[in-house]
Amino acid sequence: MASISEFYSRNLSAEVTKGLRQKAITGGTINRAPLGYINIRQTDASGREVRTVDVDPARAPLIAWAFEAYATGEWSLSDLCSELELRGLTSLPTPKRPAKLIRINTLARMLHNPYYKGEVVYKGARHMGTHDPLVNDLVWAKVQDMLDAHNKAGDRTQVHDHYLKGSLYCHCGSKMTVNMTTNRHGETYPYFVCLGRHTKRNSCTAQAVLVSTVERLVEDHYATVEISPEASEALEGMIGEIFARIDATSEQEREALARQAQKLEDQQLKLLQSFYDDAITATVHKREQQRVEEHLQQIKARLEAFEMGCKDAQLRIRAYLAMATNAQDFYLCLDPAARRLCNQAFFTKIILTEDWRIEHTFEDVYDTIMQPENRLRADYWQRTQQLHPDIDLTAPLPPDLARDRVGTSNLWWSIGDSNS
């Protein structure tokens, strides 16, 4: 009996999982709808209970506003949480729990939740939901960029926020933070101070530096990381040639995938015909159609990645080169939120030395662009219209390049000796 019970339990679990997956694929909401929506139970004409999701008229406008506000880059999570509290946003009350104010960690999860842009997630897969979205794709993307920017910099916004926090480091290796100092006349000034010294975690002797001074030093430093228009043109040409070569070598694999896709589509037609001829049952037909459709979608996704990978990467490289060509002018015209993103695009660290100079470590893409040997290879390509002999293109283009950030391994595959 125990083995029968165990079999029944496993079978029941499998059926439940199958039902939930099918519901997600068709856009249904699997669990309780998140804040801003309400779960509704209705009865259809046959007397069966139908569960749906509708927009919460009291809370949905506040959540939509929260996304739009955070997308501007002018709000921290703590400030946004306080503002939502003033505007009256609370959790949905239940018979056992009263309504509560939204905490900052709940707000962060909300801003990350793709349900608000109309998607249902089940076991890592995303499906288009049947519920009404509260935000559009553009606002959603901006919010994710802002969240990533804060997380990437390790910046958990405090009372004194600044766009250099998280990117600015002391020469001792510690991060620098903002501290407000009041002089004997009652005037308050913001300073950058070394966290290592401030918390007495090391023996650093770095002095506090006015925030305005550091801002100016960073602005001036951008002039030192610019490349000339001629170098930018040479790099863009060489990169374009590399991508063209790799795209050509992937043609054979794309053709093989296209043949597989056609074969699967033929199988779908045969299954349908067999079902109409009563050669297979409805259950077998449904199971086989689902298997074939899943395989077909995987192949189509790979084909789409091949098609978009090189184009998407080339567009981003052009944007990077344009920024590097006019780095200082570009940086000076940005607002604080955009400066934060720009600093993180260029640098992993902005380092303030003991004698008040700015040094840096580049992010992957710019580290590749600024390497002297790659600049020489680009100059070689511009003079000869040939790729330098030590550039190895045997490594394939990653199929998911369109979804991943471009790094050095995706730009120059297995570059050989760098002493050319």
Side-chain angles (χ1 to χ4, degrees):
M1 288 297 294
S3 60
I4 294 176
S5 298
E6 183 180 354
F7 170 78
Y8 175 79
S9 178
R10 288 201 307 267
N11 187 66
L12 180 62
S13 176
E15 290 299 318
V16 170
T17 301
K18 186 190 302 182
L20 291 175
R21 182 177 178 277
Q22 186 60 36
K23 184 176 181 180
I25 290 175
T26 57
T29 301
I30 302 301
N31 302 309
R32 181 181 294 275
L35 192 65
Y37 295 90
I38 50 178
N39 293 87
I40 298 176
R41 296 186 179 185
Q42 298 175 331
T43 304
D44 63 13
S46 303
R48 293 178 301 180
E49 183 181 77
V50 178
R51 300 184 181 186
T52 61
V53 172
D54 201 357
V55 172
D56 185 339
R59 294 171 176 80
L62 293 175
I63 292 175
W65 174 85
F67 272 93
E68 292 172 358
Y70 195 75
T72 65
E74 298 174 359
W75 293 80
S76 67
L77 282 175
S78 57
D79 291 340
L80 187 60
C81 195
S82 299
E83 179 64 22
L84 288 170
E85 178 181 343
L86 292 174
R87 295 186 179 217
L89 181 62
T90 63
S91 64
L92 198 65
T94 68
K96 295 183 178 180
R97 291 193 302 269
K100 294 182 179 180
L101 295 174
I102 302 302
R103 295 185 177 181
I104 190 169
N105 57 343
T106 303
L107 176 60
R109 287 196 299 270
M110 285 170 48
L111 294 176
H112 275 297
N113 192 345
Y115 190 91
Y116 291 107
K117 69 164 183 170
E119 293 183 353
V120 175
V121 179
Y122 182 67
K123 292 188 177 297
R126 293 192 178 190
H127 310 279
M128 186 57 63
T130 56
H131 60 281
D132 293 329
L134 299 187
V135 297
N136 59 47
D137 289 341
L138 180 59
V139 171
W140 165 264
K142 288 182 178 179
V143 167
Q144 303 318 300
D145 286 342
M146 296 308 305
L147 290 169
D148 290 344
H150 282 267
N151 289 334
K152 180 181 175 184
D155 174 15
R156 305 298 182 264
T157 305
Q158 304 293 321
V159 175
H160 311 306
D161 191 25
H162 193 275
Y163 60 84
L164 284 171
K165 282 180 63 177
S167 295
L168 186 65
Y169 284 75
C170 176
H171 63 86
C172 72
S174 299
K175 287 185 177 182
M176 301 194 74
T177 190
V178 177
N179 192 24
M180 306 299 288
T181 302
T182 304
N183 63 19
R184 58 190 179 88
H185 301 294
E187 299 170 324
T188 301
Y189 296 93
Y191 284 82
F192 271 113
V193 297
C194 171
L195 271 175
R197 177 177 180 176
H198 186 66
T199 58
K200 299 181 180 179
R201 289 183 299 197
N202 59 29
S203 58
C204 181
T205 59
Q207 299 296 313
V209 187
L210 275 171
V211 165
S212 59
T213 300
V214 179
E215 290 175 343
R216 188 182 68 253
L217 290 172
V218 173
E219 291 170 358
D220 293 343
H221 185 69
Y222 264 89
T224 69
V225 298
E226 291 185 341
I227 61 177
S228 68
E230 293 76 19
S232 176
E233 182 181 355
L235 282 164
E236 183 176 340
M238 181 179 71
I239 294 169
E241 178 68 18
I242 289 173
F243 280 127
R245 297 273 189 93
I246 294 172
D247 191 49
T249 59
S250 68
E251 179 64 28
Q252 185 175 358
E253 184 171 355
R254 290 203 301 272
E255 290 177 353
L257 287 171
R259 288 194 297 271
Q260 290 181 43
Q262 184 60 53
K263 184 178 179 180
L264 288 169
E265 289 174 351
D266 292 342
Q267 287 182 23
Q268 286 183 320
L269 291 174
K270 290 179 180 178
L271 282 169
L272 186 61
Q273 187 61 49
S274 297
F275 175 67
Y276 286 148
D277 294 341
D278 293 329
I280 57 175
T281 65
T283 301
V284 172
H285 173 256
K286 181 179 179 181
R287 183 180 66 243
E288 288 301 300
Q289 282 284 21
Q290 184 174 333
R291 177 187 62 80
V292 172
E293 180 64 26
E294 288 178 355
H295 194 187
L296 185 60
Q297 290 304 319
Q298 292 174 3
I299 290 178
K300 287 182 177 179
R302 291 187 64 190
L303 283 170
E304 184 178 352
F306 269 121
E307 182 179 351
M308 297 303 298
C310 281
K311 294 178 181 178
D312 180 71
Q314 283 183 278
L315 286 173
R316 282 185 279 169
I317 291 297
R318 287 172 187 158
Y320 294 146
L321 289 171
M323 290 168 60
T325 305
N326 304 284
Q328 188 179 45
D329 289 341
F330 179 79
Y331 186 73
L332 290 174
C333 73
L334 298 176
D335 61 29
R339 284 191 177 193
R340 182 195 298 272
L341 296 174
C342 185
N343 288 329
Q344 292 169 0
F346 271 95
F347 311 111
T348 56
K349 290 183 179 180
I350 299 173
I351 304 165
L352 182 65
T353 67
E354 200 166 10
D355 57 350
W356 290 10
R357 291 181 297 103
I358 294 294
E359 296 178 352
H360 64 262
T361 56
F362 276 123
E363 271 288 352
D364 287 346
V365 173
Y366 286 108
D367 185 51
T368 300
I369 289 173
M370 300 301 287
Q371 285 177 11
E373 56 268 28
N374 286 332
R375 305 273 288 275
L376 290 173
R377 292 183 178 102
D379 180 67
Y380 177 88
W381 181 90
Q382 193 172 46
R383 287 186 287 104
T384 66
Q385 295 299 298
Q386 299 290 328
L387 291 179
H388 197 279
D390 67 1
I391 295 180
D392 181 11
L393 298 180
T394 58
L397 177 70
D400 57 349
L401 181 60
R403 296 187 297 276
D404 291 340
R405 64 190 296 273
V406 179
T408 51
S409 61
N410 294 337
L411 294 178
W412 286 273
W413 283 256
S414 306
I415 291 180
D417 184 12
S418 63
N419 296 323
S420 53

